[in-house]
Amino acid sequence: MTEPAILTHVNYDQFADLYDHQYDLYRDDLHFYAGVAQRAGGKVLEVGAGTGRVTTFLARKGVDVVGLEPSARMIERARNRAAHDGLQSQFVQGDVRTFRLDEQFSLLIAPFNALMHLYTPNEQLQALENLRAHAAPGTPFVFDLYVPRFGKMNTLRHEGETFHAPDGSRRDVFLVQRHDKARQHITTEYHVDTTQPDGCLTRQHYTLTQRYYTRYEVEWLLRFAGFESPKVTGSFQGGPLDTHSEVMVFQSRVM
């Protein structure tokens, strides 16, 4: 029997501009992670820093934070964001499974679905064990994942994402999602149409695959990897995880 192909990790270098357009104004998690960081004190490691949305917010609050990110293009945008705000933020290019830093952190965070780019149990365990190696026993590990609920599959959709540029052009984001239930993968194909003022239309295509999780799967994974059984909530404000929740927030500690 042929083994299933291993998914290649998403290359965010080409995805960085669209990512910023889509999520630059997302604020739901910022004060939550700032509060966690300020209570922990000491240096914070942020996994999947992206273009620095959370990193720069924490730095603005006086948090000493290192942003770990595999994409060079994302880091470039993150450094530009920090410089624009007059902040001294540190970004490190690396993979959460294999990075090595000669220091330990007082808090580990993985905001905004960062762990959803670990596609197999081996990758997940490798990442968690590597994170644990960068923190002392008792160090908090806090992260969030979206609750796996999806729209209609295999159908081109426009979900209200239209961006207008100063030159009069507009960008419309369409998407198609495909669901691999056996692997718990959701693949989103983005079709980004840019319309110039003269009516000229160009299209860009991006593909993003995420590996979604269930609550108890994550709880067992954490315990197996050497973390405490987590506190789980269904919002950043601390509400219970229920059928109406859109996010799962996990707060654990290194054992």
Side-chain angles (χ1 to χ4, degrees):
M1 180 179 294
T2 303
E3 290 289 332
I6 299 299
L7 179 66
T8 301
H9 285 72
V10 175
N11 182 350
Y12 268 95
D13 285 353
Q14 296 179 339
F15 199 64
D17 293 343
L18 176 60
Y19 181 93
D20 254 358
H21 275 296
Q22 287 185 298
Y23 304 121
D24 186 52
L25 298 180
Y26 181 72
R27 295 288 183 270
D28 294 8
D29 56 352
L30 294 179
H31 290 285
F32 169 78
Y33 281 110
V36 169
Q38 289 169 334
R39 289 190 296 273
K43 202 164 191 175
V44 177
L45 176 65
E46 179 194 358
V47 175
T51 59
R53 181 183 62 86
V54 175
T55 326
T56 52
F57 187 84
L58 296 184
R60 200 177 298 121
K61 295 290 186 179
V63 176
D64 187 4
V65 55
V66 175
L68 178 72
E69 168 58 42
S71 165
R73 177 63 177 146
M74 291 288 229
I75 290 177
E76 179 185 351
R77 292 188 72 96
R79 287 176 173 152
N80 289 340
R81 183 197 296 263
H84 181 268
D85 292 346
L87 300 170
Q88 296 293 325
S89 295
Q90 182 181 354
F91 296 95
V92 174
Q93 186 175 5
D95 188 315
V96 64
R97 299 167 298 168
T98 56
F99 80 97
R100 295 290 184 273
L101 296 176
D102 189 23
E103 58 184 316
Q104 293 206 321
F105 295 87
S106 300
L107 171 67
L108 308 170
I109 62 173
F112 203 49
N113 308 313
L115 300 184
M116 295 180 73
H117 298 296
L118 301 168
Y119 299 108
T120 68
N122 283 341
E123 292 182 353
Q124 295 153 14
L125 186 59
Q126 185 181 7
L128 292 180
E129 290 178 339
N130 194 30
L131 286 173
R132 194 186 66 196
H134 287 81
T139 299
F141 176 35
V142 183
F143 59 96
D144 64 276
L145 303 165
Y146 68 63
V147 175
R149 287 196 297 267
F150 311 112
K152 190 173 182 180
M153 294 292 107
N154 306 311
T155 301
L156 187 67
R157 312 196 303 264
H158 187 293
E159 299 191 329
E161 289 187 303
T162 299
F163 308 102
H164 296 272
D167 63 2
S169 64
R170 58 177 282 174
R171 301 175 80 191
D172 288 280
V173 181
F174 300 86
L175 60 86
V176 178
Q177 287 188 305
R178 310 190 191 283
H179 191 185
D180 184 340
K181 294 182 180 180
R183 298 188 191 179
Q184 293 178 222
H185 290 178
I186 188 75
T187 296
T188 305
E189 296 180 17
Y190 293 94
H191 302 275
V192 184
D193 288 357
T194 302
T195 306
Q196 301 297 337
D198 63 2
C200 179
L201 175 69
T202 57
R203 168 167 286 185
Q204 295 170 291
H205 176 260
Y206 308 91
T207 300
L208 172 66
T209 297
Q210 294 173 302
R211 200 285 195 178
Y212 63 85
Y213 300 80
T214 62
R215 170 187 176 169
Y216 294 113
E217 173 188 20
V218 175
E219 291 198 31
W220 277 109
L221 178 62
L222 285 169
R223 292 170 66 179
F224 188 73
F227 292 84
E228 293 180 1
S229 183
K231 173 185 177 182
V232 185
T233 60
S235 74
F236 293 108
Q237 292 72 41
L241 178 62
D242 58 29
T243 55
H244 303 291
S245 300
E246 296 183 354
V247 65
M248 299 182 287
V249 182
F250 296 85
Q251 299 183 63
S252 181
R253 291 182 181 272
V254 176
M255 290 183 64

